Amino acid sequence: QAYHHVRIFSDSLQAVSDSLFYSGRDSIFRLFIDPVMWTGNSQVTGDTIYLFTKNKKPQEIQVFENGMAIEKSGTNMFNQVRGNRMFAWFSEGNIDLMRAKGNAESVYYVLDEDSAVVGVNKVVGDIIDMRFQNKELNRVVVVGQPTGSLIPLQQATEQDKTLRDFKWLDARRPKNKFELFEN
């Protein structure tokens, strides 16, 4: 158990929260009160986060209430998904699939064959799956009466580019193991 100003650092994953409970029996890190977790260019937030590990590597994340995942895809460009509950599954330390359930919504940047930005896609549905390939968003699947719109980049406002409660919290991220002991 750890209380107040918890920080986790490894090469593949970093996290902060107010408190943490870890059990060696099930290898689950349970982060409470304002938890934030990062892996690569991705950030996950929610009210409570469970990180399942196997052989010291992340296997699955479960986010309870107010889950939000953000992937920095370029300068001032962030792919985002949020839902009441969120799940992420890892393959070799990298996010392979992310699922948002319950009032799911997303904002993501659509690219053409030459990787030029076409526009911003805003989608709402019951479930949103985001599949990753080579550490980048590859495909978005929306289940349950999806609604959405593709807004050309030139016409997209700042409000079109972010979901409510969007916060990129990279300043809180531990950058190296020595930062774990700073106040």
Side-chain angles (χ1 to χ4, degrees), residues 24-164:
R25 182 173 292 213
D26 56 15
S27 299
I28 300 172
F29 288 88
R30 293 165 178 89
L31 297 121
F32 303 99
I33 306 175
D34 201 21
V36 185
M37 188 174 294
W38 299 269
T39 179
N41 289 329
S42 299
Q43 168 186 292
V44 176
T45 58
D47 290 355
T48 302
I49 298 176
Y50 284 10
L51 169 63
F52 296 75
T53 60
K54 185 175 181 181
N55 298 324
K56 300 182 183 179
K57 290 191 178 234
Q59 291 294 302
E60 180 182 343
I61 294 175
Q62 293 183 5
V63 182
F64 303 94
E65 301 303 320
N66 301 309
M68 184 170 205
I70 303 169
E71 178 204 26
K72 186 170 186 173
S73 60
T75 306
N76 295 322
M77 294 189 339
F78 299 91
N79 294 321
Q80 304 149 61
V81 64
R82 66 176 291 128
N84 293 341
R85 295 219 29 207
M86 293 188 64
F87 306 89
W89 292 272
F90 290 79
S91 176
E92 298 181 29
N94 298 308
I95 292 177
D96 189 42
L97 170 67
M98 183 166 287
R99 171 172 288 161
K101 288 180 75 172
N103 299 319
E105 40 186 331
S106 75
V107 168
Y108 62 95
Y109 288 82
V110 178
L111 307 177
D112 66 11
E113 308 84 39
D114 300 323
S115 296
V117 179
V118 174
V120 178
N121 199 4
K122 293 190 82 163
V123 178
V124 176
D126 294 331
I127 297 172
I128 297 177
D129 284 346
M130 299 183 110
R131 299 182 186 279
F132 293 82
Q133 192 172 50
N134 300 323
K135 300 181 184 179
E136 294 193 10
L137 181 63
N138 181 45
R139 188 171 181 210
V140 178
V141 178
V142 184
V143 179
Q145 301 177 348
T147 60
S149 59
L150 177 62
I151 305 161
L153 190 60
Q154 299 81 359
Q155 297 173 10
T157 65
E158 289 305 310
Q159 190 174 2
D160 294 328
K161 295 177 184 178
T162 58
L163 294 173
R164 65 185 157 85

Side-chain angles (χ1 to χ4, degrees), residues 9-14 38-40 56-58 90 93-94 173:
F9 177 85
S10 75
D11 292 341
S12 61
L13 184 134
Q14 301 81 44
W38 299 269
T39 179
K56 300 182 183 179
K57 290 191 178 234
F90 290 79
N94 298 308
R173 183 179 196 170

